[in-house]
Amino acid sequence: MPTQLKVAVIGAGLCGLIAARELERESHEVVVIEKSFRLGGVWVYDPRFESDLLGIDPNRDIVHGTIYKSLRTNSPRQIMGFSDYAFQGKEYGDPRMFPGHEEFLRYLEDFAERFGVTKLIRFNSEVIRVESLSQGNEFVVESKNSGLSSDSSSTLTEIFDAVVVCNGHNTQPRVAIDIPGILEWPKKQLHAHNYRVPEPYRDQVVVIIGNGSSAYDISREIAIVAKEVHLSSRSPNVSVSKLDKHDNIWQQSKIDRVFNDGTVQFQDHVCITADTIIHCTGYEFYIPFLKTNGIVSINDSRVGPIYGHVFPPHLAPRLSFVGLFHMGMTFLPAELQSKWIARALSGTVSLPSKTEMLHSIEQFYRDMEERGIPKRNTHSLNHNMDYLDWLSDQLRITRPPQTLKDYYARFIERFRNDHEGFRETFEEDCLINDHI
C-alpha cells in the first residue's frame, strides 16, 4: 500500500502549484506555505520596488515581485501549461501567442482552482526555518505571518514528514560588483528586479549590463524615452555597433571600469557619461530558511549535491526541490519532477541508493568540468530535451512526443537567431507550418 505523508510545499508559484497537485494525486496530506497574499509567484506584478535598488543590502525592504509592467512570455502558449491542462486554447483577454504576464497569472489561478490546490495554500506565511529531524525522516517547519514581527509569539512551528522547496530563484539579485568602481559610482544604479516602467529614464543616457531576455526587452522599452541606451555584454561574440532598427541603442563590449564623474569606460576604451546603470545580470539561488548542517549548500549558483536537480541524496526523498533548472522549457520538467517526488514519497517508484546517487552527481560534475562548463550553469538545461526523457525514464512513463521536441527546437532556433523579433516572426512561422 502506498505511503501517505504530511508534506510541506514552500511557495505557491508555478512549481509549488504543480507539486501540490501531484502530491495530492498520490494521497499525501499537503500544505502549501506562501508568503504573499496570492498565488502565482514571479508572475504576480508588483509596482513597488525595494529600498536598495541593487538588492545588496540584506536589511533592505524585500519586494518579491520582479517582473516589469510590459513583460510578455518568452515562450509560446503551445509549450506553456501542464500536460492535462494546456494554456493553448484558454484566453483571458490577451489572445496573443506570447501574451502578457496578466494572462498567464489568470491561467495559474484557474489551474489551482480547477484541481483544488487553492484550498491547500496558507497565504501570508513566510517560512523562516526548515530543519531536518530524525535523520531526515521528519522536518520542523517554522513560519511567521508576513505582516507581523519575527518574535516567537508570531511564529508557527510544525512537524512534516517531507518538504518540497519551490521558492523560485528570482529573489536575490546578482550584481556585477566585479567592475572596478561600481560600488562607489555616484549616480543611479538598479538591478532589473527593481525595474517596472520606462518613464523614470526619460532623456537619460542608460547603460544596461547583460545580454539575456530582460536586457533586450528593457533596452528596447527604455529607448523609446531615453536619450541613449548602451548594452554592455561580457560575451566575446558581440559586435560593437549601433543596433539596426534603433537610432539610440548601441551594443558595447564589457565595462572595463566606471568613474566618480559618471563616466563608463568599456573594454575597447570607448567612454560615455551615463545617468543610470541597470544590471540585467540574473539572480542567485537563495534559500535562507533551509538548515541542513552543510548537507545541502549553495556555491556559485550550484545547489548541491542534488541528484537529478531534485533530491539531495542524504535526505532523499523526504527533502526535494522543484524548479532549480533554467535555460529550458519550464512546465514539463516541473511537472515531471513533481510526479517523481510524489511517487518517490509514496513508494510507487524507487530512487537509487544514496551511494549510487552521490556517484552519479560526482560524475556529472566531472563531465561539466571536462567540457569547460562553469559551475554557475550546473542547473542549466540549455534548451536540451534529454532531461525530460531522463525524468520520464525514472517514472517509467512514455517519453515526450517527438512533435513537441521538434516544435521546441524550431522555436529555440528562432529565439536565438532573432532575439528582438522572435515573437512576431515565430507566430508568422506557425501560421505557415504545422502546429504541435
Side-chain angles (χ1 to χ4, degrees):
M1 182 177 178
T3 304
Q4 298 176 2
L5 302 177
K6 182 181 180 182
V7 185
V9 175
I10 301 176
L14 182 160
C15 292
L17 297 177
I18 188 61
R21 199 277 298 268
E22 294 303 324
L23 287 162
E24 267 234 309
R25 285 184 164 179
E26 287 292 307
S27 300
H28 297 295
E29 180 187 346
V30 183
V31 177
V32 182
I33 307 175
E34 168 56 46
K35 70 178 180 179
S36 176
F37 67 96
R38 65 186 302 183
L39 63 83
V42 72
W43 292 97
V44 176
Y45 174 71
D46 189 337
R48 300 175 302 159
F49 43 83
E50 297 182 347
S51 53
D52 172 20
L53 295 177
L54 278 179
I56 295 175
D57 182 1
N59 298 315
R60 69 190 186 279
D61 297 324
I62 294 178
V63 175
H64 187 64
T66 190
I67 59 176
Y68 37 94
K69 188 174 183 180
S70 66
L71 182 137
R72 294 173 63 188
T73 65
N74 281 335
S75 299
R77 287 176 180 268
Q78 287 83 345
I79 58 173
M80 298 182 73
F82 303 112
S83 62
D84 56 355
Y85 200 72
F87 187 31
Q88 172 72 353
K90 295 178 177 62
E91 294 181 6
Y92 307 96
D94 184 353
R96 293 175 295 178
M97 179 181 284
F98 298 84
H101 54 85
E102 302 95 337
E103 180 87 353
F104 187 67
L105 179 59
R106 287 285 305 278
Y107 163 81
L108 289 178
E109 291 171 336
D110 274 5
F111 170 83
E113 195 63 32
R114 165 69 176 79
F115 291 99
V117 176
T118 307
K119 70 179 186 295
L120 306 176
I121 304 172
R122 185 188 299 159
F123 292 104
N124 295 311
S125 297
E126 181 179 1
V127 174
I128 56 177
R129 182 168 67 102
V130 171
E131 191 166 359
S132 62
L133 303 172
S134 306
Q135 297 181 331
N137 290 323
E138 287 184 321
F139 290 83
V140 58
V141 177
E142 188 176 356
S143 59
K144 68 181 181 72
N145 187 291
S146 300
L148 299 178
S149 66
S150 58
D151 62 50
S152 59
S153 63
S154 67
T155 63
L156 175 65
T157 301
E158 302 169 277
I159 303 298
F160 289 88
D161 299 310
V163 173
V164 185
V165 179
C166 308
N167 70 321
H169 44 79
N170 290 308
T171 299
Q172 181 56 47
R174 181 190 302 125
V175 179
I177 59 174
D178 59 330
I179 297 172
I182 197 73
L183 294 180
E184 295 76 37
W185 200 67
K187 296 194 176 181
K188 183 176 181 178
Q189 291 190 76
L190 67 151
H191 188 274
H193 176 72
N194 288 302
Y195 172 80
R196 297 295 181 265
V197 294
E199 188 57 35
Y201 311 96
R202 180 171 293 278
D203 300 325
Q204 290 192 3
V205 175
V206 180
V207 173
I208 295 178
I209 304 173
N211 63 347
S213 297
S214 62
Y216 278 94
D217 285 350
I218 292 173
S219 64
R220 272 61 176 180
E221 180 169 87
I222 283 181
I224 297 172
V225 300
K227 180 181 179 181
E228 297 176 8
V229 176
H230 296 264
L231 274 167
S232 172
S233 172
R234 65 183 178 185
S235 171
N237 301 319
V238 300
S239 176
V240 178
S241 62
K242 181 181 285 189
L243 297 191
D244 293 339
K245 305 178 186 178
H246 298 279
D247 293 330
N248 64 338
I249 304 180
W250 285 263
Q251 176 66 63
Q252 305 284 6
S253 59
K254 182 180 177 180
I255 296 175
D256 184 56
R257 66 167 296 117
V258 297
F259 299 88
N260 285 337
D261 63 356
T263 300
V264 176
Q265 178 177 300
F266 301 98
Q267 283 192 332
D268 57 1
H269 304 298
V270 169
C271 292
I272 64 164
T273 301
D275 299 294
T276 300
I277 295 176
I278 302 178
H279 297 244
C280 296
T281 43
Y283 295 84
E284 304 283 356
F285 285 110
Y286 188 60
I287 317 174
F289 53 81
L290 187 60
K291 313 299 180 184
T292 65
N293 293 319
I295 292 175
V296 179
S297 62
I298 303 174
N299 185 286
D300 194 13
S301 294
R302 171 183 287 174
V303 182
I306 303 287
Y307 177 67
H309 305 290
V310 174
F311 293 108
H314 292 283
L315 296 170
R318 298 298 182 97
L319 178 67
S320 57
F321 299 81
V322 178
L324 291 180
F325 54 81
H326 59 97
M327 291 291 288
M329 190 186 296
T330 301
F331 293 84
L332 190 50
E335 182 175 345
L336 293 174
Q337 286 183 339
S338 298
K339 290 180 186 294
W340 193 23
I341 293 166
R343 297 178 189 182
L345 289 174
S346 66
T348 55
V349 300
S350 299
L351 297 178
S353 69
K354 180 174 70 175
T355 300
E356 290 171 322
M357 287 191 283
L358 287 170
H359 176 76
S360 176
I361 294 166
E362 290 167 2
Q363 183 61 52
F364 176 62
Y365 291 168
R366 281 196 298 271
D367 290 346
M368 283 186 60
E369 188 174 354
E370 290 171 2
R371 294 164 60 192
I373 300 173
K375 182 185 290 187
R376 66 177 179 273
N377 290 339
T378 296
H379 303 292
S380 172
L381 303 185
N382 198 27
H383 304 296
N384 193 316
M385 300 290 279
D386 291 347
Y387 180 61
L388 301 184
D389 289 342
W390 184 85
L391 284 173
S392 300
D393 292 347
Q394 308 313 301
L395 288 160
R396 299 191 295 275
I397 62 175
T398 304
R399 291 180 170 186
Q402 188 61 43
T403 52
L404 173 64
K405 298 175 183 178
D406 293 342
Y407 184 91
Y408 184 67
R410 199 169 91 216
F411 162 66
I412 290 302
E413 181 180 13
R414 184 60 59 103
F415 178 79
R416 286 171 169 164
N417 293 336
D418 185 14
H419 209 120
E420 183 171 353
F422 72 92
R423 294 181 179 94
E424 289 71 24
T425 57
F426 188 71
E427 190 163 6
E428 292 171 2
D429 179 49
C430 286
L431 292 175
I432 300 171
N433 294 288
D434 293 335
H435 291 208
I436 59 172

